[in-house]
Amino acid sequence: MNLKTLPYAAVCCLTLLVVFAACGSDGKPVTTAPTEPESPTQPAPPTPEPPPDTPFSDLEQRIVAGINAQRMLGGTCGGDAFDPTTPVAWNNDLAEAARVHMEDNLANDLSADPHTGSNGSSVGDRVTAASPATAWLVVGENLAYNRGSPRNDIPEIWAKGWHESPVHCRNQLNPVFNRVGVSVGVRNALFVGVVVFGQKAGS
């Protein structure tokens, strides 16, 4: 089933630390009525897929570990409290959608609208392109830029900034998400990190 036939919620805003962007208007998932009786729930954690070997695999896995550490603790994002919840598992389709947008951000100036690709794509479009045979009930995206920090400090810098920003924090702690993909890249000393969250139909 194609994502375009199933409504999804994309949680995505623009704040500054180094620069962070998370995809949505009020920062909360807004789910429309699905065409099937299924809707996003708090799903059981799926089995993680083996992540691809990339030049920044270590940073990508540290970002996922940081997100899951926060999910184990729960917390407050703006005025919303989140109980501790299950971890998100690595998903290669979401990682591919993240990679496409990371490379687009490095190749093009998307700072005016960081979650819209240079071709006009949304996070939902990119997830559909990466997994056309999969129905996703809900997807979300966090994004961050960094210039000037030591490479190995970047996951912690981004984790702190995302957790302190209510919109990004809601994406990280939202129990409807059970899968994640991350892509990190660099060009001309500018690091870009894209995190894509999701829940598949049926899981």
Side-chain angles (χ1 to χ4, degrees):
M1 185 178 298
N2 190 294
L3 175 71
K4 290 181 179 176
T5 66
L6 250 187
Y8 65 89
V11 189
C12 307
C13 111
L14 186 61
T15 58
L16 295 175
L17 167 68
V18 190
V19 176
F20 293 94
C23 156
S25 57
D26 61 358
K28 301 177 184 178
V30 179
T31 306
T32 56
T35 56
E36 298 178 356
E38 190 172 9
S39 61
T41 59
Q42 184 168 354
T47 302
E49 298 175 355
D53 186 20
T54 74
F56 298 100
S57 296
D58 59 325
L59 303 188
E60 292 159 357
Q61 293 307 307
R62 284 168 58 195
I63 288 168
V64 174
I67 289 168
N68 284 331
Q70 292 291 348
R71 288 173 71 88
M72 288 178 60
L73 295 173
T76 300
C77 305
D80 297 326
F82 290 86
D83 293 330
T85 190
T86 54
V88 285
W90 184 272
N91 177 268
N92 285 321
D93 290 336
L94 297 182
E96 173 62 12
R99 182 195 65 77
V100 167
H101 198 48
M102 176 274 292
E103 292 183 351
D104 195 6
N105 268 272
L106 288 176
N108 301 286
D109 182 6
L110 304 181
S111 57
D113 188 4
H115 293 282
T116 301
S118 59
N119 61 355
S121 65
S122 67
V123 58
D125 295 329
R126 294 185 288 273
V127 172
T128 297
S131 53
T134 302
W136 292 87
L137 290 178
V138 59
V139 297
E141 183 176 76
N142 282 2
L143 189 148
Y145 304 92
N146 183 291
R147 189 190 298 275
S149 298
R151 178 192 189 279
N152 287 339
D153 293 348
I154 289 173
E156 285 69 36
I157 291 170
W158 285 347
K160 183 175 186 291
W162 283 327
H163 190 65
E164 291 175 351
S165 164
V167 180
H168 303 82
C169 176
R170 291 182 187 111
N171 275 354
Q172 294 191 134
L173 301 187
N174 196 325
V176 306
F177 293 131
N178 66 346
R179 289 174 169 84
V180 72
V182 181
S183 187
V184 175
V186 64
R187 177 175 290 181
N188 298 327
L190 175 67
F191 280 86
V192 174
V194 178
V195 182
V196 180
F197 301 89
Q199 181 193 149
K200 288 182 179 181
S203 59

